[in-house]
Amino acid sequence: MRPGTYKALENHLRDVTAKHGEGYYHVIHFDVHGAVLTYQQFQHIQKEPAGNPLRYKRYARDEIQPYDGVKAFLSFETDNEEQDKKSDLVEASELASLLVKHQVPITILNACQSGKQLGERETSLGSHLIQAGLQLVLAMGYSVTVSAAELLMSTLYRHLFAGHDLAVAIRHARTELYNNKERRAYFDQKIDLEDWLLPVVYQNQPVTLQPRDFTPEERTDWFEHKAEEKRYTPPDPQYGFVGRDIDILQIEKRLLTRRNILLVRGMGGAGKTTLLRHLASWSHTTGFVQHVFYFGYDEKAWNLQQIMTSIAQNLYGPKYYTDFQPLPLALQQAMLSQDLRGKNHLLILDNLESITGAHLAIQHTLPQNEQAALRSFLSDLTKGHTQVLLGSRSGEDWLAKGTFDDNIYELPGLDPEAATTLADRILERNNATQYRQDEDLRKLIKVLDGFPLALEVVLANLAHQTPTEVLAALQAGDVSIDPKSDSQDKTESILRCIDYSHSNLSPEAQQLLLCLAPFTSVIDTGALENYTSHLRQQPVLATLKFERWPEVLKEAANWGLLSPDPKIPRFLRLQPIFPYFLRNSLHAPEKREARNAVETAFREYYDQLGAMLHQLLKSKEPQERQVGQILTSLEYENLVTALNLALAAQVSIHYPYFALSRYLDAAQDQNLGLQLGQSVLNSLDTYPKDKLEGQLGLEFAHAIGDVANIQLGLKRYAGAEISYQKVLKLVSQLVHLDKNECDRLKAITYLQLGKVALEQRQLDKAEKYYQQSLQINIEINNRLGQALTYHHLGSVALEQRDWAKAKQHYEQALNAYSDVNERYLQAATYHQLGMVAEEQRQWEQAEQYYQQALQIMIEYKDRNEQAGTYLQLGNVAHKQRKWEQAEQYYQQALQIFIEYKDRYNQAKAYHGLALVAEKQGQWEQAERYYQQALQIFIEYNDRYEQASTYHQLGVVAEEQQQWKEASEYFLQALEIDAT
């Protein structure tokens, strides 16, 4: 029952009885505190506020009047408006009356181990409940351990569900306690207890339970639930999931009684993500929610459209394509938010600090318009039934208003019991269990305030030191630290922990660890020898004990400062605080020479690694390209650091920059790519002029060209043309470089200028640029360059509807590609040949070309490019009136465009889906798809496609005899055509 209030119980039983009738529930299980109290004791616990005795009103119950003797009470949670009241005591007769009213025959009382026992033992409470009218009560004679309760209840319910009589089930449970006496205590110790006598049964009449088998529908629902449960279950953390019971209870209560959107805030290493993933599994398993939707910004920069698409596909199933997808984004948001508000689901957005992070150092940021869209969507969910959990290291002020407001849960350290459990597991890992009863260890755990990272960092030192030595070495009077001190103090406490762990190494080992200071995300142990060779080349570092790397890294991993990547263990992930600590140490004035040497070695190493990654990313082999994307993703932050160091040193930036740029291009993150490029250009502008006359000048030109390519991809044609012209001007000034290399860059730049003109339908201008590119490529015998140019000349001919010329150029391109064994780029040319055949209504030939293109793209795992070919296959099927096949192809294209945030091409897919709906007389659906396409074409200022879409909207309106709307649409199309 959530929340655990009397009001929630009463309301729930009333609702269930209204729906199913009395006697629907056979058993109610109370895992709460209970007590038998005098009136004076009751008054002491249930204090009334001074001067206002009527402030606390007992929901659905009269006020407790003075009484003689004792009465039995159960302690429920208070309602939200009674936050300064610790508990709501419900008298046994009140509870019995409620349960009898709804004909619940069996009550089970299970004491919670963690609280203070009040009054007499709970069996007396059981007897009072029986006297008040319940049929059967199972109570505990004394306080019971958690492990005993787990064993008792699992055995009891297993036998009840097997159809056994309740008395038989209880006998089996007692027998299991007798046969298995080992119980868990503090520090995860095992002790033997004779607690099989604890369960005591009070009964005033026979009670028989007759569970029935599942109906087929119930069985299906059950297995669907179990399948989802498996999907939501996260992998165990390094030391297992420990504690957090109180945190989970508080989080659930805040969601239910304060606001249904909650920010869980905590510092790095506090265990936010671990807790949120556990909550996802817990909430679904216990029936708190129907579905869980988790989006982690450490994995991907989820925008609103992607989030809504993922949720809607899960919620709506096949109806997603008919009821949801055709709607414009605004209506999709309205529909989805309404449905989420009406059902109990859980939405988790984790690692939100990435959204507004430093754009070049964090991959998964969102631009401000996407931030606003996300905030709007979350605002729509307020006061609904879906619970929303947000995880972040920061306060996320940009999001607070209208969403979670002040509903923030500051994630503390583990509670004392959980902290000792985690400590014991760390002791076992480090062979230090002999210190379990050491008083200084208890003080040490108190000092560390239960923060998992701090515990893992410091307690690992017990492998070679005593708790007394470790405690004495912490330098800031840690025993007196207040556990409720502010978060800044806790952060510094962890820094002091790392400082101490680092100081326990020999001076040689400390110096060696400082060589890791520039690393931010991961360390590739497989390439450590290569990095070491660069370090050795620095005279000030040459004497370091590099042979100790394996030993030092192992110790650092034992401290929790490093951990193997779960997917690629050769990569060690750094705790966020660790590199910060190392950099602070290396920036001491006396270490300036060492810092410069380490940064130089790091920069040179990543220059070499960047070259390798760049080759992988542009490889013709699909597996190599995939490996390049995985490795660059892991090394992203390190590459950014190396790039910034190279810019500061005013040396070559070519390989780290183009590895990053190629990676972002493959990830379709063009906005981040443009920011990266502009940042590099701004820095290159500060280089002395003489430095840009040689190889660095050529790199500058390539960087400008790369920025221009991104501008072209974003349809910023004017900016792209200016940038390409800058490249031509700069290259003409590089008189000291190899002419052949400069000519290649000129040819590429003319080719790109042709693309700019072609996309604006400036066909003569495009053809002129392409011919200039072709002439240069012929002069320098660059067959690959010739192939690319023939391909684009074919595109110009295609736009000019000169089918024969277009086919000739495309075939020339295929021949040139074959000469240089370039299979991957042939896919685009086969795609264009498909368009030539399609324009001539040669459907079988067109489909054959498209399938050839698609096969190559699948072979190279180029999912993004597959979308365009699926789109054209949809067109071919549509023109042959194969509606089902056409819709399938369009949907495949649309899903990929959404996945890769290709908003412009989404419009083309929507347009295709609209045509299919129109041809089948599905007018409303056709109109919705056209409106979605139109909205995007307007965003991109594509006047040509706007006119086409307005025309089709006019046709749809005309078919529905909506003459006024049809006329307006046709006029809008004509106005655009006339300009």
Side-chain angles (χ1 to χ4, degrees):
M1 180 62 58
R2 296 173 170 101
T5 64
Y6 182 84
K7 178 179 180 180
L9 175 63
E10 195 277 340
N11 289 348
H12 179 74
L13 289 176
R14 182 150 39 94
D15 291 343
V16 168
T17 297
K19 183 177 181 180
H20 300 286
E22 296 174 344
Y24 181 75
Y25 286 125
H26 301 92
V27 179
I28 287 191
H29 183 124
F30 291 96
D31 191 359
V32 297
H33 296 301
V36 177
L37 305 172
T38 66
Y39 184 69
Q40 290 72 23
Q41 290 171 324
F42 168 80
Q43 282 186 308
H44 178 73
I45 296 170
Q46 204 82 93
K47 290 180 180 178
E48 293 181 347
N52 187 7
L54 299 179
R55 178 178 168 189
Y56 294 144
K57 294 186 177 180
R58 305 174 77 247
Y59 182 82
R61 292 160 289 154
D62 294 329
E63 295 298 316
I64 298 291
Q65 301 299 318
Y67 58 84
D68 297 327
V70 294
K71 286 191 175 184
F73 295 87
L74 255 64
S75 178
F76 283 64
E77 290 181 34
T78 61
D79 290 328
N80 185 51
E81 58 268 23
E82 302 173 345
Q83 292 181 23
D84 54 341
K85 181 179 172 184
K86 292 184 177 180
S87 65
D88 180 16
L89 294 179
V90 178
E91 198 262 323
S93 62
E94 295 171 332
L95 181 63
S97 175
L98 177 67
L99 300 182
V100 169
K101 177 180 179 181
H102 296 284
Q103 297 186 16
V104 180
I106 300 172
T107 300
I108 295 177
L109 302 176
N110 179 32
C112 178
Q113 178 197 5
S114 61
K116 181 180 178 182
Q117 181 66 34
L118 298 176
E120 297 178 16
R121 59 184 189 173
E122 289 180 9
T123 46
S124 298
L125 174 61
S127 65
H128 277 271
L129 289 172
I130 285 292
Q131 294 170 21
L134 295 183
Q135 296 180 34
L136 187 149
V137 178
L138 174 64
M140 305 298 141
Y142 297 93
S143 294
V144 61
T145 63
V146 173
S147 52
E150 289 174 352
L151 183 60
L152 170 69
M153 295 306 168
S154 62
T155 306
L156 174 68
Y157 285 120
R158 183 169 66 251
H159 284 279
L160 283 179
F161 292 138
H164 294 164
D165 181 78
L166 181 62
V168 174
I170 293 172
R171 185 170 69 248
H172 280 292
R174 284 180 177 150
T175 302
E176 195 65 27
L177 289 174
Y178 179 85
N179 292 336
N180 184 0
K181 297 182 175 65
E182 189 176 78
R183 306 287 177 258
R184 289 194 306 273
Y186 263 46
F187 284 95
D188 216 19
Q189 292 184 81
K190 306 296 188 296
I191 56 176
D192 287 344
L193 290 177
E194 296 285 350
D195 53 10
W196 57 275
L197 288 171
L198 288 182
V200 179
V201 177
Y202 291 84
Q203 185 172 358
N204 61 21
Q205 57 182 287
V207 178
T208 302
L209 297 180
Q210 295 180 333
R212 60 171 173 79
D213 290 333
F214 280 140
T215 65
E217 293 78 13
E218 289 170 340
R219 185 174 298 277
T220 299
D221 290 342
W222 167 254
F223 284 113
E224 286 179 353
H225 182 85
K226 297 301 288 184
E228 284 192 329
E229 183 176 308
K230 185 176 180 181
R231 178 161 62 89
Y232 293 140
T233 302
D236 277 337
Q238 182 181 6
Y239 293 100
F241 187 83
V242 179
R244 296 301 186 192
D245 295 345
I246 295 174
D247 300 304
I248 292 171
L249 181 64
Q250 289 298 317
I251 287 170
E252 289 181 348
K253 186 173 181 179
R254 285 169 180 256
L255 285 171
L256 290 167
T257 63
R258 292 185 60 179
R259 199 173 182 88
N260 67 314
I261 303 180
L262 173 70
L263 173 65
V264 179
R265 180 170 63 184
M267 67 180 188
K272 294 183 298 298
T273 295
T274 300
L275 175 60
L276 291 175
R277 287 192 176 278
H278 178 79
L279 277 166
S281 175
W282 165 259
S283 299
H284 180 266
T285 301
T286 58
F288 187 29
V289 298
Q290 298 177 33
H291 295 284
V292 178
F293 311 102
Y294 179 93
F295 303 93
Y297 283 87
D298 57 329
E299 302 168 351
K300 181 177 180 179
W302 295 95
N303 65 16
L304 177 58
Q305 185 180 23
Q306 291 171 325
I307 289 172
M308 291 199 303
T309 296
S310 177
I311 295 173
Q313 287 177 334
N314 190 306
L315 280 184
Y316 301 139
K319 289 187 177 180
Y320 164 82
Y321 300 101
T322 57
D323 296 354
F324 181 84
Q325 190 188 67
L327 298 174
L329 283 176
L331 296 187
Q332 286 183 352
Q333 179 176 334
M335 175 181 176
L336 186 59
S337 59
Q338 177 177 311
D339 289 345
L340 289 175
R341 286 172 58 84
K343 295 288 180 65
N344 294 329
H345 302 300
L346 176 61
L347 171 61
I348 299 176
L349 303 180
D350 196 12
N351 295 290
L352 290 183
E353 65 272 7
S354 296
I355 290 180
T356 56
H359 289 286
L360 300 184
I362 298 177
Q363 299 180 54
H364 305 138
T365 59
L366 286 180
Q368 289 190 352
N369 64 318
E370 289 289 357
Q371 293 177 30
L374 183 60
R375 182 170 59 247
S376 170
F377 177 66
L378 294 178
S379 179
D380 288 346
L381 300 183
T382 57
K383 300 182 180 180
H385 289 284
T386 286
Q387 314 298 325
V388 181
L389 282 174
L390 311 172
S392 180
R393 298 182 189 180
S394 66
E396 304 303 331
D397 295 337
W398 66 274
L399 181 60
K401 187 176 181 180
T403 60
F404 61 86
D405 286 346
D406 63 346
N407 196 20
I408 300 174
Y409 184 73
E410 299 286 357
L411 186 64
L414 299 171
D415 64 72
E417 182 182 359
T420 57
T421 300
L422 176 58
D424 188 69
R425 296 179 185 181
I426 298 171
L427 295 180
E428 288 185 350
R429 180 76 59 88
N430 289 276
N431 299 314
T433 54
Q434 69 271 24
Y435 299 126
R436 279 173 172 158
Q437 303 303 321
D438 194 295
E439 184 60 27
D440 281 335
L441 175 61
R442 297 181 186 277
K443 291 180 181 179
L444 199 55
I445 293 172
K446 180 181 179 182
V447 166
L448 300 177
D449 204 16
F451 279 83
L453 174 59
L455 289 165
E456 293 171 15
V457 167
V458 172
L459 297 189
N461 290 284
L462 295 174
H464 51 80
Q465 288 185 293
T466 67
T468 303
E469 291 170 332
V470 174
L471 187 60
L474 293 175
Q475 298 176 347
D478 293 322
V479 174
S480 63
I481 291 178
D482 183 357
K484 296 182 179 180
S485 60
D486 61 47
S487 60
Q488 178 62 32
D489 288 338
K490 290 171 183 174
T491 300
E492 293 194 3
S493 174
I494 289 183
L495 286 174
R496 288 195 296 273
C497 293
I498 296 175
D499 185 21
Y500 169 66
S501 297
H502 182 261
S503 68
N504 274 282
L505 289 172
S506 66
E508 293 84 359
Q510 291 182 34
Q511 291 300 315
L512 193 58
L513 270 180
L514 289 176
C515 295
L516 303 183
F519 289 87
T520 301
S521 51
V522 296
I523 300 168
D524 183 0
T525 58
L528 191 58
E529 185 177 347
N530 188 4
Y531 177 51
T532 301
S533 69
H534 289 279
L535 292 169
R536 290 183 188 277
Q537 293 172 22
Q538 303 299 317
V540 70
L541 305 176
T543 59
L544 293 180
K545 305 294 184 181
F546 293 111
E547 65 276 6
R548 294 192 62 188
W549 269 130
E551 172 192 342
V552 172
L553 292 179
K554 183 178 180 180
E555 288 190 55
N558 288 338
W559 299 335
L561 301 176
L562 303 169
S563 61
D565 182 86
K567 295 181 180 178
I568 309 178
R570 93 178 198 201
F571 282 88
L572 297 178
R573 291 196 168 274
L574 291 88
Q575 288 286 354
I577 302 167
F578 186 39
Y580 172 73
F581 165 78
L582 292 175
R583 289 169 193 167
N584 279 347
S585 300
L586 199 56
H587 274 73
E590 67 274 13
K591 295 179 180 177
R592 181 175 181 178
E593 189 177 1
R595 182 181 77 243
N596 292 337
V598 169
E599 291 178 349
T600 298
F602 180 85
R603 171 171 48 78
E604 291 175 351
Y605 165 66
Y606 273 96
D607 187 66
Q608 187 180 43
L609 180 63
M612 184 268 287
L613 293 174
H614 186 239
Q615 285 298 116
L616 288 172
L617 289 167
K618 67 177 187 178
S619 172
K620 299 175 184 178
E621 298 299 324
Q623 290 183 341
E624 290 186 358
R625 287 160 55 88
Q626 189 175 21
V627 168
Q629 290 168 6
I630 293 171
L631 293 179
T632 309
S633 175
L634 288 166
E635 294 278 12
Y636 183 91
E637 289 82 5
N638 292 332
L639 285 164
V640 170
T641 300
L643 175 62
N644 290 332
L645 290 173
L647 289 168
Q650 296 190 340
V651 296
S652 173
I653 51 91
H654 183 85
Y655 289 119
Y657 171 72
F658 279 99
L660 288 165
S661 181
R662 177 76 68 154
Y663 167 74
L664 292 172
D665 181 60
Q668 288 292 300
D669 200 338
Q670 293 175 316
N671 286 312
L672 184 56
L674 185 60
Q675 292 177 43
L676 178 70
Q678 292 286 11
S679 174
V680 168
L681 294 186
N682 292 339
S683 296
L684 288 172
D685 272 333
T686 67
Y687 280 32
K689 185 177 180 181
D690 60 321
K691 280 199 171 187
L692 296 177
E693 291 178 352
Q695 187 63 34
L696 286 179
L698 188 61
E699 288 187 13
F700 195 3
H702 277 293
I704 297 172
D706 188 65
V707 169
N709 293 343
I710 299 170
Q711 291 171 322
L712 174 58
L714 293 170
K715 312 296 181 187
R716 301 179 185 179
Y717 299 120
E721 186 169 6
I722 291 171
S723 297
Y724 286 130
Q725 293 293 353
K726 283 183 180 179
V727 174
L728 292 175
K729 181 178 179 181
L730 182 57
V731 171
S732 66
Q733 298 171 356
L734 301 176
V735 294
H736 302 301
L737 291 179
D738 178 63
K739 183 176 182 302
N740 189 65
E741 190 172 5
C742 291
D743 285 343
R744 282 177 178 269
L745 183 53
K746 283 183 180 179
I748 292 171
T749 305
Y750 281 124
L751 182 74
Q752 295 302 105
L753 282 166
K755 287 184 183 180
V756 173
L758 179 60
E759 290 197 16
Q760 297 177 91
R761 301 184 62 78
Q762 300 168 354
L763 303 182
D764 292 340
K765 188 177 180 180
E767 187 171 14
K768 177 184 176 182
Y769 280 133
Y770 288 143
Q771 288 294 350
Q772 286 176 284
S773 176
L774 181 61
Q775 185 60 40
I776 295 173
N777 282 314
I778 291 173
E779 289 174 4
I780 62 177
N781 195 29
N782 180 9
R783 286 294 281 163
L784 179 59
Q786 293 172 38
L788 291 166
T789 312
Y790 281 129
H791 175 94
H792 287 91
L793 283 167
S795 298
V796 172
L798 180 62
E799 291 294 328
Q800 294 170 332
R801 305 183 67 80
D802 190 339
W803 316 129
K805 188 176 180 182
K807 186 175 182 181
Q808 176 189 353
H809 283 315
Y810 287 134
E811 288 176 344
Q812 286 175 300
L814 285 176
N815 290 335
Y817 284 138
S818 297
D819 289 346
V820 294
N821 195 29
E822 178 52 75
R823 175 163 170 74
Y824 172 72
L825 292 177
Q826 292 177 30
T829 305
Y830 279 122
H831 179 96
Q832 293 301 108
L833 282 167
M835 295 185 70
V836 173
E838 183 182 341
E839 291 289 347
Q840 298 176 85
R841 305 180 66 80
Q842 298 170 354
W843 310 127
E844 290 185 9
Q845 182 70 64
E847 187 169 2
Q848 181 181 347
Y849 280 133
Y850 288 137
Q851 290 292 352
Q852 284 178 282
L854 188 61
Q855 185 59 43
I856 296 174
M857 294 169 191
I858 293 173
E859 176 186 333
Y860 280 83
K861 296 182 173 62
D862 192 339
R863 184 159 168 77
N864 183 35
E865 292 298 329
Q866 292 170 32
T869 304
Y870 280 125
L871 187 70
Q872 293 307 124
L873 283 167
N875 291 340
V876 171
H878 160 246
K879 290 170 182 175
Q880 297 179 83
R881 305 180 67 81
K882 298 178 180 178
W883 311 127
E884 185 176 346
Q885 189 179 68
E887 184 176 8
Q888 180 182 354
Y889 281 134
Y890 287 139
Q891 288 289 1
Q892 285 176 289
L894 182 59
Q895 290 304 308
I896 298 173
F897 289 141
I898 291 174
E899 178 183 341
Y900 284 89
K901 304 180 186 178
D902 190 342
R903 184 102 172 114
Y904 179 77
N905 279 313
Q906 288 174 36
K908 293 185 177 181
Y910 283 128
H911 199 278
L913 286 166
L915 285 170
V916 171
E918 177 187 336
K919 295 300 183 182
Q920 298 178 87
Q922 299 168 354
W923 309 121
E924 290 185 8
Q925 191 163 341
E927 185 177 2
R928 289 175 182 173
Y929 280 134
Y930 281 134
Q931 289 289 359
Q932 283 188 289
L934 180 62
Q935 181 181 348
I936 298 172
F937 288 138
I938 291 173
E939 287 176 19
Y940 281 84
N941 196 31
D942 190 329
R943 303 282 286 170
Y944 179 81
E945 292 293 348
Q946 288 174 40
S948 172
T949 309
Y950 276 126
H951 177 83
Q952 292 303 128
L953 281 166
V955 171
V956 171
E958 191 175 41
E959 290 289 344
Q960 299 176 85
Q961 298 185 357
Q962 298 171 351
W963 311 119
K964 181 181 178 181
E965 289 83 353
S967 176
E968 289 175 354
Y969 283 135
F970 287 137
L971 284 173
Q972 285 175 293
L974 288 172
E975 287 176 6
I976 294 174
D977 285 337
T979 55

